[in-house]
Amino acid sequence: MVDGWLVAEVRAALAGAADPARAPGMQAYMKSDMPYRGVPKPARARVLRPVFAARTLADPLGWTATALTLWREAAYREERYAAIDLTGHRAYRAYQQAGTLEMYEEMVVTGAWWDYVDEIASHRVGPLLAADPAAIRPVVLRWSRDGDLWRRRTSIICQLSFKAATDLDLLYACIDANLDDRDFFIRKAIGWALRQYAWTDPAEVRRFVTARGDALSPLSRREALKNIG
């Protein structure tokens, strides 16, 4: 069941922190059709902290329903950021199970822009993959070949924080499935994922980049090797 009080309080907190002078610039920077309240991330965190602390959602279904209501009914982009914030609140760590992936998939596909997708991929989908690879890995692999750009970007960057625990077979499969894609966000994601892993094993990243040769776009190659001496 949706917690209507929490939804209303989140909206009210964001409205109270609104900065109309800042909002147009934020909207223009993000190329967003949805307007902004003009609440930057630090201010958003500050005003939402007491709201989230005041009410703990007692079951996973209520948590999911409340987050999705904030997401689906958002009139301002910050309300969608707040929905993502709610999904990552420490009170709900136990709710992060394989079934939660359905909610994150909806956010990825309907959000369809990097500010939403990158946070969800690296901080929501990634931890689910780490916790339950048997359930999540096949989905990530399937997303790497999906027609939706943002599912594919998610598959490539969801292991950004994994370091030595990175599933290289999965990462390379997701990259290889997208080598022919000319979209900037895919090529950038490939380079970003490789650059991040290069902090752990630069020789392996150099080997992979060399092995793929011209199949790897110049953008992806440049990003991958940026921090390798």
Side-chain angles (χ1 to χ4, degrees):
M1 179 180 294
V2 175
D3 189 320
W5 179 90
L6 187 58
V7 171
E9 288 298 306
V10 165
R11 291 171 178 163
L14 293 172
D19 182 349
R22 185 190 294 264
M26 294 173 70
Q27 184 175 356
Y29 172 76
M30 201 53 65
K31 301 178 181 178
S32 173
D33 292 332
M34 186 180 291
Y36 274 81
R37 286 281 194 190
V39 185
K41 185 175 181 178
R44 186 179 84 240
R46 184 173 61 252
V47 300
L48 292 181
R49 191 176 299 115
V51 176
F52 291 164
R55 181 97 99 195
T56 300
L57 300 165
D59 64 84
L61 291 178
W63 167 68
T64 300
T66 302
L68 285 176
T69 295
L70 281 168
W71 180 269
R72 293 168 180 168
E73 298 180 3
Y76 297 91
R77 205 168 184 91
E78 288 95 338
E79 292 171 14
R80 284 193 158 181
Y81 296 153
I84 298 173
D85 293 340
L86 179 61
T87 67
H89 193 273
R90 62 182 179 274
Y92 309 112
R93 286 174 184 163
Y95 296 172
Q96 302 285 354
Q97 304 290 333
T100 313
L101 190 62
E102 185 176 345
M103 172 173 63
Y104 297 138
E105 180 179 13
E106 176 177 335
M107 291 177 170
V108 163
V109 173
T110 60
W113 201 239
W114 64 267
D115 56 334
Y116 300 137
V117 171
D118 292 1
E119 175 72 13
I120 294 165
S122 58
H123 296 295
R124 303 293 184 272
V125 177
L128 288 179
L129 174 64
D132 192 353
I136 306 301
R137 189 182 193 276
V139 179
V140 170
L141 191 58
R142 186 171 72 247
W143 286 4
S144 74
R145 303 185 294 267
D146 194 88
D148 182 82
L149 161 70
W150 301 103
R151 283 193 186 98
R152 286 186 282 117
R153 181 173 169 95
T154 298
S155 75
I156 295 166
I157 65 172
C158 65
Q159 297 190 75
L160 287 177
S161 66
F162 282 29
K163 299 181 180 178
T166 299
D167 180 342
L168 282 180
D169 288 342
L170 176 60
L171 175 60
Y172 292 165
C174 292
I175 290 173
D176 285 342
N178 289 279
L179 286 178
D180 293 336
D181 196 302
R182 301 181 63 83
D183 186 273
F184 168 83
F185 288 104
I186 294 298
R187 292 185 167 188
K188 187 78 170 180
I190 290 172
W192 186 12
L194 291 171
R195 184 177 79 244
Q196 196 70 12
Y197 187 66
W199 291 112
T200 297
D201 192 343
E204 171 57 22
V205 169
R206 187 177 293 279
R207 183 206 65 78
F208 178 84
V209 169
T210 300
R212 293 307 181 271
D214 292 340
L216 204 62
S217 74
L219 171 60
S220 298
R221 178 188 299 273
R222 185 167 61 251
E223 289 293 317
L225 301 177
K226 183 177 289 186
N227 297 320
I228 298 178

